[in-house]
Amino acid sequence: MSEATAKKALICGITGQDGSYLTELLIRKGYQVHGIIRRTSTFNTERLDHMYMDPHEGRVPLHLHFGDLANAARLRHLIQQIQPDEIYNLGAQSHVRVSFDQAEYTADVVATGALRLLEAFRDYALQSGKKPRYYQAGSSEMFGASAPPQNEETPFYPRSPYAVAKLAAHWYGVNQREAYGLFVSNGIMFNHESPRRGETFVTRKITRALGRIKLGLQEKLYLGNLDARRDWGHASDYVRAMWMILQHDTPGDFVVATGSSHSVREFLELAAHYAGVDWKSCVEQDVRYLRPTEVDSLKGDYSKARRVLGWEPEISFEELVRTMVEHDLELAQQELTLVRAGHHIAPRGGRMPRSEEHTSELQSLAYLVCRLLLEKK
Ligand code: NAP
Ligand code: GDD
């Protein structure tokens, strides 16, 4: 397919876990992909680097543009310039615990940010005469305290500033669909993970720590509530659902889930089994990771997505956990190799010295490698 005839997708939140899997999927399908990235003082395109091609080397299916959900004029300009067929809004301050500390910021990016992008989309759709399609990344957190199993008919009962903001974004989308007849669809996605998951979400925090504990790079893992239950799937299955939602004849709202749930403790037990670590000897509770209001139990009923879209998850819970553990054992092995080569790494007892987010950043191998490269200069 030539550049001129390829479908164009614009992804906000392209540098995140889902953004990277969605980009891979769309490129495989022949799309020209445009992504909005935030200007940061360090590189934040680690999850995309394997797909990026120097424009001097030939045809480029991936284009990155600076922008921010806080900047309406820029969003409007990018949409007008790119003229996308499909827009995926995956951009968010996506950490539930952090949203309690940064409630106003979370509302601005997640709720008002979605509105900014939607209004730019609406004006583009109405003025261009094209029929572009818009996907909003909604969350099972919006169900919050409503009992499982949750489906499209379940009442929303958000339990965090993040969930309240996602709910506003969801209803902004529904309203634009009804008010202007636009193709706006909401995914209501249950938790989905992968080896690319951010390191402060509980699954990756666990697999990352177990890999390091196994190889003697870390002693302890501190966690919060082990009793919470989540419906965990694999991100690659979920981005396929996003794409299918936008290919459907009519817009709508879809729960995307696996239909089974596990506690954090069960995830930990299985991951420790695959890693060959006795978790009871190294895991301790730290109240800092408890939430002021918790979502106790999420389990999705995805029968609408199965019936209407023909979507099914393909990767099992066991396979998800195993691939995450294997990936993070490999990462720990690389880290150990650097340590053995004499590179100094700050001591880590597993206790988080600063914020959880910052420690995770310090622990990332990418950071370590950058530091070593800088040291060599
Ligand atoms: P993620 O890894 O945290 O990625 C979030 C993305 O949003 C990143 O690319 C981030 O950019 C970008 N972003 C943050 N603030 C922004 C801003 N002000 N303007 C523009 N972009 C901004 O999240 P994810 O797991 O891929 O999830 C994708 C979306 O689905 C999010 O909206 C999340 O809330 C939602 N969701 C996720 C799950 C899940 O289980 N993963 C479930 C339901 C819904 P930087 O790289 O610069 O930070
Ligand atoms: N992050 C974290 N860190 N969570 C912990 C910890 C810990 O040390 N210990 C226990 N937990 C518990 C949390 O209290 C929560 O009940 C559960 O593990 C899952 O937490 P997260 O992995 O942070 O995910 P989440 O469910 O709060 O939110 C994720 O899924 C949502 C969809 O339901 C995020 O990806 C959201 O962006 C997404 O919308």
Side-chain angles (χ1 to χ4, degrees):
M1 203 179 299
S2 78
E3 275 275 287
T5 55
K7 263 188 167 181
K8 287 186 207 167
L10 175 62
I11 305 176
C12 183
I14 195 168
T15 55
Q17 169 190 255
D18 291 5
S20 69
Y21 282 107
L22 181 62
T23 302
E24 281 173 1
L25 177 83
L26 295 177
I27 288 178
R28 274 202 308 276
K29 290 186 179 295
Y31 279 67
Q32 187 187 115
V33 178
H34 294 258
I36 298 176
I37 61 167
R38 298 194 290 172
R39 193 273 154 184
T40 49
S41 66
T42 52
F43 290 117
N44 64 351
T45 55
E46 194 186 339
R47 294 185 179 105
L48 298 172
D49 288 344
H50 62 288
M51 285 176 273
Y52 188 72
M53 201 192 291
D54 188 323
H56 304 100
E57 290 173 11
R59 191 170 91 79
V60 186
L62 173 59
H63 306 257
L64 299 177
H65 312 264
F66 284 118
D68 200 298
L69 281 165
N71 187 343
R74 179 63 177 158
L75 297 174
R76 195 168 283 271
H77 172 81
L78 284 174
I79 291 179
Q80 296 292 346
Q81 184 196 343
I82 295 162
Q83 304 259 310
D85 300 288
E86 294 170 13
I87 296 181
Y88 296 84
N89 180 25
L90 313 182
Q93 186 302 93
S94 69
H95 202 285
V96 173
R97 177 66 191 84
V98 171
S99 79
F100 286 95
D101 300 331
Q102 298 207 75
E104 184 189 337
Y105 172 76
T106 303
D108 188 46
V109 171
V110 175
T112 311
L115 180 61
R116 291 182 187 109
L117 193 58
L118 262 174
E119 291 203 313
F121 166 78
R122 177 199 59 200
D123 294 350
Y124 159 63
L126 297 178
Q127 287 158 15
S128 67
K130 298 188 175 187
K131 302 246 177 274
R133 298 178 173 207
Y134 185 99
Y135 172 84
Q136 165 63 28
S139 167
S140 53
E141 278 289 303
M142 301 186 304
F143 294 124
S146 276
Q150 293 99 353
N151 64 24
E152 294 81 0
E153 307 306 319
T154 305
F156 294 122
Y157 188 156
R159 297 268 285 171
S160 66
Y162 166 81
V164 173
K166 278 288 179 190
L167 196 48
H170 174 94
W171 284 115
Y172 284 138
V174 173
N175 182 247
Q176 289 244 347
R177 186 166 74 213
E178 293 174 352
Y180 306 104
L182 299 178
F183 196 113
V184 178
S185 289
N186 290 297
I188 306 175
M189 301 265 160
F190 283 63
N191 298 49
H192 43 280
E193 321 293 310
S194 74
R196 297 184 201 165
R197 184 57 145 153
E199 293 186 24
T200 62
F201 297 98
V202 76
T203 55
R204 188 78 201 288
K205 183 174 168 183
I206 289 171
T207 58
R208 203 59 187 97
L210 290 176
R212 300 186 82 252
I213 288 167
K214 172 81 176 172
L215 298 189
L217 291 160
Q218 180 175 329
E219 284 171 20
K220 295 281 181 198
L221 166 60
Y222 292 90
L223 293 172
N225 177 13
L226 299 187
D227 297 321
R229 299 186 71 83
R230 291 290 181 274
D231 180 334
W232 278 298
H234 194 291
S236 62
D237 278 337
Y238 286 53
V239 301
R240 184 165 44 82
M242 293 174 193
W243 179 76
M244 291 172 86
I245 287 170
L246 285 201
Q247 308 318 303
H248 189 56
D249 304 340
T250 49
D253 306 326
F254 294 89
V255 158
V256 179
T258 71
S260 57
S261 85
H262 301 269
S263 66
V264 173
R265 183 179 285 97
E266 285 164 6
F267 186 101
L268 175 62
E269 278 168 358
L270 187 60
H273 166 72
Y274 286 134
V277 169
D278 170 22
W279 70 270
K280 288 191 174 143
S281 66
C282 55
V283 173
E284 290 186 19
Q285 196 184 47
D286 186 330
V287 292
R288 283 184 299 174
Y289 302 124
L290 299 176
R291 293 164 184 195
T293 39
E294 175 66 288
V295 170
D296 295 323
S297 186
L298 292 174
K299 180 173 149 177
D301 161 13
Y302 68 98
S303 43
K304 180 181 174 188
R306 181 171 45 209
R307 181 171 39 82
V308 177
L309 306 173
W311 179 86
E312 286 280 357
E314 288 172 359
I315 300 174
S316 69
F317 177 70
E318 289 71 23
E319 198 178 343
L320 168 72
V321 179
R322 187 178 50 73
T323 51
M324 289 179 72
V325 168
E326 282 173 4
H327 176 274
D328 285 340
L329 277 169
E330 172 64 26
L331 214 53
Q333 186 59 56
Q334 291 172 16
E335 197 174 336
L336 185 63
T337 305
L338 290 171
V339 172
R340 287 194 173 138
H343 295 288
H344 173 74
I345 297 175
R348 298 179 191 89
R351 176 163 284 280
M352 301 295 173
R354 300 174 203 166
S355 73
E356 188 184 352
E357 303 73 56
H358 189 218
T359 307
S360 156
E361 191 186 320
L362 287 173
Q363 284 177 348
S364 96
L365 187 73
Y367 175 86
L368 187 68
V369 170
C370 289
R371 232 181 51 189
L372 293 171
L373 289 174
L374 283 174
E375 276 170 15
K376 281 191 174 160
K377 282 199 171 167

